[in-house]
Amino acid sequence: MQLGGVNVKNVYIMFSFTGTYFSRFLCMMSGEKYIHVSIAFDENLKEVYSFGRKNPRWMFPCGFVMEDMNLISSFFKNAVFKMYELPLNKKEYKNLRKELKKYQDRQNEYHYNVKGLIHIQFHKVYHRNHHFVCSQFIAKLLSDSNIHTFDKDYSVVRPKDIAKIPRLKLVYEGKILDYLKEIENEKKS
C-alpha cells in the first residue's frame, strides 16, 4: 500500500472496555462505551502501549505500560474492543517510534494522571509533568510524531476524539479474547 507515494506501515489504535468498576464509572461519567485507548504496532497485539494498570489484577500502580493482551483477556474474558488500522508513511512511522522511545527509556518516571480525568470531564486544559491518562498519551504521541493534530489541547482529548481521525479504518470489533483466538487459529492454518 502507498500513502502519498510512500510505502505504508500500519499501526493500530484500539479502544476497549474491560468491565472493571473503574471502567464502568468512566463510562458513566463520559457517556462513552470504549473509554480506554492503546496503540499497537502489530495486528497480533504483541506490542501494545498505553497508560493504565501495570498489573491487570490491581487498579494501582498505573502508568506507562506495554499491555499484555493475552493476560488482560485472561482476567477480563468479556472485555471488548474496536481496533482501527492507521496507515503511516515511513517518516511518520519513524517519528512515532522515536517519540515512543522517549517514554520507553524513562518509563518509571511516568504515572497515571488521576487529576487529569477530572479536568478532561470539564474540558479544562491541565498539564502535569510525566502524568497522562491513556487518551492524553495517544493524542500527544500522535501529535508529537506529526501524524495527527487535534483541534484541542492533548490534555482534554478523549477516546472519542481519537476515533475521529480521518485515516482510521475499522478492522475489528468484538471480544479481545475472540480476536486473539482468531489470530492463533490463523497461525495454525
Side-chain angles (χ1 to χ4, degrees):
M1 183 194 280
Q2 300 247 328
L3 182 66
V6 181
N7 291 335
V8 169
K9 182 84 171 160
N10 291 321
V11 295
Y12 302 87
I13 306 295
M14 301 166 23
F15 302 89
S16 58
F17 174 75
T18 58
T20 63
Y21 290 119
F22 189 59
S23 67
R24 286 186 278 177
F25 171 74
L26 291 176
C27 284
M28 183 183 71
M29 294 300 295
S30 69
E32 297 176 43
K33 178 178 179 180
Y34 297 99
I35 46 78
H36 182 67
V37 61
S38 311
I39 187 166
F41 283 82
D42 63 299
E43 61 187 1
N44 296 329
L45 309 183
K46 297 294 182 197
E47 189 181 2
V48 180
Y49 300 95
S50 191
F51 268 69
R53 295 171 180 227
K54 293 193 178 209
N55 180 335
R57 288 185 188 191
W58 310 108
M59 189 169 165
F60 295 106
C62 296
F64 175 73
V65 290
M66 183 171 172
E67 296 177 326
D68 182 336
M69 299 311 288
N70 285 305
L71 186 61
I72 290 169
S73 66
S74 72
F75 287 116
F76 308 110
K77 296 188 185 321
N78 292 314
V80 292
F81 79 129
K82 280 182 157 181
M83 185 167 97
Y84 291 85
E85 185 178 84
L86 176 61
L88 304 178
N89 64 39
K90 285 182 182 179
K91 184 176 181 180
E92 289 172 326
Y93 186 81
K94 183 179 176 185
N95 289 346
L96 182 62
R97 283 291 192 182
K98 182 180 172 186
E99 288 300 320
L100 180 66
K101 186 157 177 24
K102 293 175 185 178
Y103 293 89
Q104 291 170 312
D105 288 349
R106 301 174 79 185
Q107 64 186 352
N108 292 329
E109 295 176 28
Y110 288 98
H111 307 284
Y112 196 78
N113 190 7
V114 176
K115 290 180 184 177
L117 288 173
I118 298 161
H119 288 83
I120 290 171
Q121 187 64 31
F122 295 104
H123 311 285
K124 300 278 186 193
V125 172
Y126 177 72
H127 296 161
R128 194 167 168 211
N129 200 28
H130 294 107
H131 287 73
F132 295 89
V133 300
C134 58
S135 59
Q136 292 171 334
F137 164 66
I138 299 296
K140 185 152 177 52
L141 187 65
L142 295 177
S143 179
D144 289 351
S145 301
N146 296 315
I147 292 167
H148 183 78
T149 304
F150 294 88
D151 62 356
K152 57 178 88 174
D153 188 85
Y154 77 87
S155 70
V156 292
V157 170
R158 295 172 174 224
K160 69 180 179 183
D161 300 317
I162 296 167
K164 294 176 185 171
I165 295 173
R167 283 195 270 172
L168 291 180
K169 176 187 168 196
L170 182 64
V171 293
Y172 185 86
E173 183 173 11
K175 286 186 177 182
I176 296 171
L177 189 58
D178 292 345
Y179 180 81
L180 294 173
K181 285 178 184 176
E182 285 179 31
I183 294 293
E184 200 56 41
N185 289 337
E186 285 178 16
K187 286 181 187 175
K188 291 177 183 176
S189 44

